[in-house]
Amino acid sequence: MRVLGVMSGTSVDAIDVALARLTLRGVELTLEPLGHRELRWPAPLQRRLLEVGANPTEATGGVADWCRLHAEAGQALGVACAQALQLLGPADLVACHGQTLYHLVEDGQVTGTLQVGAPAYVHAATGLPVVADLRTADVASGGQGAPLASTLDALWLGDVPSAVVNLGGIANVTLVGTPEGVLTGDTGPANALLDAAAAELGLSCDDGGRLAAAGEVDDVALAVLLADPYYARPLPKTTGRDHFHAGYVRALLGDAAPNGPDLFATLTELTARTVTAALGGVEGGVERGVERVVVSGGGVRNPVLLARIRELAGVPVLTSDALGLPAAAKEAYLMALLGWLGVHGLPGIVTSRRGPVTGARHAAVLGSLTPPYVTGGLAAVLPASRPSAAPRRLVVAATPLVAATPPVAATPPVEDAR
């Protein structure tokens, strides 16, 4: 089955699309990466998504504005998927995450999650069935609804004790192959606070970590930031820009907040410290025994952050590219995997010795199908009934079956959907 995975993360910096061929043989599922692209959000829509995501409880407007966001995000995602299919080749299914606007966390428990991007527009643009709404079923089962990356991480890398880290707007980690089984959670900010600081300077990010490299860590400010109670909570846990928002640093530090390059150096150190704190520490007296760190996400483009993680980790640190899955597209390939699991009636959450790794009561089948019946090519590749056993191992093919795609392709921008 050929599945187009579509992901836009916390940073809202791009629409990542990746095409995969997934083949099940016994309990081994093979994922062949067929190529990926990074496509742009329409600039006006991107600004509005960022504004609402950064200040969700203070967002102006009303139901009409949120309805418009849901429709326009769906239209933009549909245009992106149609472009991707032209660039990468045909698919049987689209698995589209949408754009998270809010993850409702109350006393450490997630009670709701909202992703905009109506899947009917994606179906209208592509003619393909679309799996969307990939978090709600886990939340309804008592889970955190995140990080969903743990499913791919555990199936793919569980043969070696590893910490699998994604450096998006928020950083998340999956611990696999360790004495504790599989553990997962969001460690805190990766690029979210850095991007917010860059925006105040009229920049999209700290490109290449140059600002951080020019500054010095403010140890006093760092200590205040590290005292946030979120970091002391055990896994599983989740957070987002509702907590680590654009005004977060000033709210905690006020006039004592560092400025210029020192702010970027301090925030980079915050990310490196909070990520590595989850890797090799001791929780409940059990040594985690991580032997390697596998990193993906936009943060791998920041050499200052990556170098600091390497210094603190104490074990080898490599990117997912070295193991066959492009770091820039790992989460889009994750969506393809979750879509494949969903249409086969298989749970999208890994179960460890403590139960589902998100803290849910049971591992749920994730996603909703649009339209609510199987059509076209998907009908031909789906089995008459769900597989007799869920995959226990994911193998990423050593080489793509088509010409390699650059990690960040210079593709035409997605036109404004309005």
Side-chain angles (χ1 to χ4, degrees), residues 116-140:
V116 295
Y121 292 103
V122 180
H123 171 65
T126 64
L128 296 175
V130 181
V131 174
D133 192 18
L134 289 156
R135 297 186 187 272
T136 302
D138 183 65
V139 172

Side-chain angles (χ1 to χ4, degrees), residues 114-401:
L114 177 63
Q115 286 75 43
V116 295
Y121 292 103
V122 180
H123 171 65
T126 64
L128 296 175
V130 181
V131 174
D133 192 18
L134 289 156
R135 297 186 187 272
T136 302
D138 183 65
V139 172
S141 299
Q144 299 283 319
L148 298 179
S150 56
T151 303
L152 188 154
D153 297 340
L155 291 173
W156 179 36
L157 301 174
D159 57 333
V160 176
S162 306
V164 193
V165 176
N166 185 70
L167 298 172
I170 298 298
N172 61 62
V173 62
T174 307
L175 300 170
V176 299
T178 72
E180 295 171 282
V182 180
L183 287 175
T184 191
D186 293 331
T187 61
N191 302 316
L193 299 183
L194 287 165
D195 289 350
E200 293 184 2
L201 302 177
L203 304 171
S204 61
C205 65
D206 181 11
D207 189 16
R210 285 189 283 269
L211 290 169
E216 295 185 1
V217 175
D218 185 323
D219 291 327
V220 175
L222 179 63
V224 174
L225 295 171
L226 286 170
D228 187 320
Y230 178 80
Y231 301 124
R233 285 175 47 200
L235 302 176
K237 59 182 177 179
T238 187
T239 188
R241 282 193 297 135
D242 52 315
H243 186 86
F244 295 105
H245 51 80
Y248 173 84
V249 173
R250 299 296 173 186
L252 261 64
L253 298 174
D255 293 339
N259 294 305
D262 290 351
L263 174 60
F264 288 88
T266 302
L267 294 178
T268 300
E269 182 71 9
L270 174 69
T271 293
R273 293 270 193 100
T274 51
V275 165
T276 54
L279 306 186
V282 176
E283 183 178 281
V286 179
E287 188 67 38
R288 286 183 170 160
V290 168
E291 296 179 9
R292 66 181 178 185
V293 179
V294 181
V295 187
S296 62
V300 301
R301 301 174 191 168
N302 185 331
V304 176
L305 174 58
L306 205 56
R308 189 63 181 132
I309 290 174
R310 284 193 168 103
E311 290 172 356
L312 294 172
V315 294
V317 176
L318 62 155
T319 68
S320 63
D321 300 86
L323 300 176
L325 205 56
K330 179 170 174 275
E331 287 203 312
Y333 281 115
L334 163 68
M335 293 305 123
L337 170 64
L338 295 180
W340 185 93
L341 290 170
V343 296
H344 285 83
L346 299 171
I349 300 297
V350 170
T351 298
S352 188
R353 63 190 62 183
R354 304 180 186 181
V357 296
T358 58
R361 292 181 296 274
H362 59 85
V365 176
L366 303 183
S368 299
L369 185 65
T370 301
Y373 57 91
V374 175
T375 62
L378 185 60
V381 295
L382 273 179
S385 59
R386 61 186 290 179
S388 58
R392 296 178 188 171
R393 176 173 168 75
L394 178 72
V395 175
V396 174
T399 56
L401 295 185

Side-chain angles (χ1 to χ4, degrees), residues 58-88:
E58 301 173 8
T60 58
V63 173
D65 288 333
W66 288 67
C67 180
R68 187 175 294 109
L69 276 179
H70 190 41
E72 291 183 10
Q75 292 162 18
L77 290 165
V79 170
C81 289
Q83 287 184 357
L85 292 168
Q86 290 180 344
L87 293 164
L88 302 175

